[in-house]
Amino acid sequence: MRYSAAAGTIEDYADGWAQFLAGHEALNHTQNGDPAKLAELLVAVSRMEQPPQSLLAGSETVAKYEALLQEKLQNLHRWRELTESTDGQW
């Protein structure tokens, strides 16, 4: 995917935008995914009577999502007592 700066880009964001572009350019065409397989998957899912509510595509995505969920679960356990301290007796 190609990104380009819009006319009138805010100068304060120019460095961040340049870093964003460089990061995406470095990753471009290095993904494990096969676009044809993704297309087949999407067609198959579109034909399902009960498609998944959420769909991840590719092993990289699954690994990243799994790590995110584990991090969120650790955070939940870490702050559970504090979070539950707001419960009342109604």
Side-chain angles (χ1 to χ4, degrees), residues 72-87:
K72 288 184 176 291
L73 187 58
Q74 287 172 352
N75 191 51
L76 172 78
H77 291 303
R78 179 177 180 192
W79 299 108
R80 181 177 211 133
E81 185 177 337
L82 181 65
T83 301
E84 292 178 345
S85 71
T86 61
D87 288 354

Side-chain angles (χ1 to χ4, degrees), residues 34-88:
D34 180 337
K37 287 182 178 180
L38 176 60
E40 290 174 11
L41 173 70
L42 295 175
V43 170
V45 168
S46 74
R47 293 179 177 156
M48 290 180 177
E49 195 168 310
Q50 294 183 351
Q53 291 179 344
S54 177
L55 179 67
L56 302 176
S59 59
E60 285 179 302
T61 305
V62 170
K64 287 179 182 181
Y65 192 68
E66 186 174 40
L68 174 67
L69 290 175
Q70 288 175 354
E71 181 182 328
K72 288 184 176 291
L73 187 58
Q74 287 172 352
N75 191 51
L76 172 78
H77 291 303
R78 179 177 180 192
W79 299 108
R80 181 177 211 133
E81 185 177 337
L82 181 65
T83 301
E84 292 178 345
S85 71
T86 61
D87 288 354

